[in-house]
Amino acid sequence: MRGGMRVALGGTFDPVHDGHRKLFERAFELGDVTVGLTTDELAPKTRHTDRYVRPYEERESDLRRELSALAPENREFTVLPLEEPTGIATEARFDYLVVSPETREGGERVNTIRREKGLEPLELVVVDHVPAEDGERISSTRIVRGEIDEHGNLTPEAAGREPARERL
């Protein structure tokens, strides 16, 4: 680490989209970034819908490519496996936790755990959703369903990805 603030954020990032990129950009504005990437065991438990999630290695490879493209020269990033929802952010070494509106509650839980451990709470930085072409938010689930692409463009001709249970 080159000094300065240390920023944590977490997710499944399957696939990475413009909403995620906005989170990453904000995180890099604040400092060096550590991304907790949900393990194959945790990922299905954090989904609101039952859908196939690509293996950790594939998601990590894509995530590293995205972070490399977005990281300013004066910033470093690390990707760590996230085995529980509050994961890495309950460790002492962070200053900020970047969250989206729907993961803000998880951020509050992280701070409760930090206080119980005698650690300073993290400053929660909430980054708003990025709207898709139709005004609804961009989400990985919508992309996987074939509704939109990673930039929020409507894709009526896309077939989408099947749920895990339909795969043989």
Side-chain angles (χ1 to χ4, degrees):
M1 295 280 169
R2 295 193 173 91
M5 294 295 167
R6 292 149 312 175
V7 187
L9 62 104
T12 299
F13 307 115
D14 181 41
V16 173
H17 55 66
D18 284 0
H20 296 140
R21 292 181 185 104
K22 189 173 167 188
L23 291 172
F24 302 151
E25 285 166 1
R26 182 69 183 107
F28 281 125
E29 285 170 11
L30 296 165
D32 289 331
V33 177
T34 300
V35 180
L37 181 62
T38 55
T39 59
D40 291 336
E41 293 72 34
L42 178 62
K45 298 175 189 158
T46 61
R47 306 275 55 92
H48 299 295
T49 54
D50 175 29
R51 68 172 171 84
Y52 173 73
V53 174
R54 292 178 310 137
Y56 182 91
E57 291 71 29
E58 289 179 33
R59 293 182 287 121
E60 182 187 28
S61 169
D62 288 353
L63 178 60
R64 286 184 183 281
R65 191 168 48 249
E66 292 284 346
L67 292 168
S68 296
L70 291 171
E73 280 183 22
N74 64 335
R75 297 288 190 231
E76 293 180 4
F77 68 85
T78 310
V79 177
L80 297 174
L82 192 60
E83 292 170 4
E84 52 188 276
T86 52
I88 60 167
T90 55
E91 295 169 24
R93 61 177 187 260
F94 298 107
D95 304 295
Y96 293 99
L97 180 61
V98 174
V99 294
S100 59
E102 80 274 8
T103 58
R104 181 189 194 125
E105 201 175 298
E108 306 284 0
R109 258 199 319 280
V110 163
N111 278 337
T112 299
I113 294 168
R114 288 180 69 87
R115 284 187 196 97
E116 287 166 2
K117 288 181 164 186
L119 299 171
E120 286 291 310
L122 298 177
E123 186 169 331
L124 297 183
V125 179
V126 182
V127 176
D128 271 334
H129 297 124
V130 174
E133 190 181 358
D134 61 3
E136 296 293 314
R137 71 184 181 92
I138 297 177
S139 73
S140 295
T141 298
R142 295 190 69 201
I143 295 165
V144 165
R145 284 185 186 147
E147 296 172 26
I148 56 172
D149 68 13
E150 65 180 281
H151 305 297
N153 302 305
L154 294 175
T155 53
E157 70 292 335
R161 188 192 292 173
E162 297 145 30
R165 61 177 178 272
E166 291 172 23
R167 293 192 160 209
L168 298 175

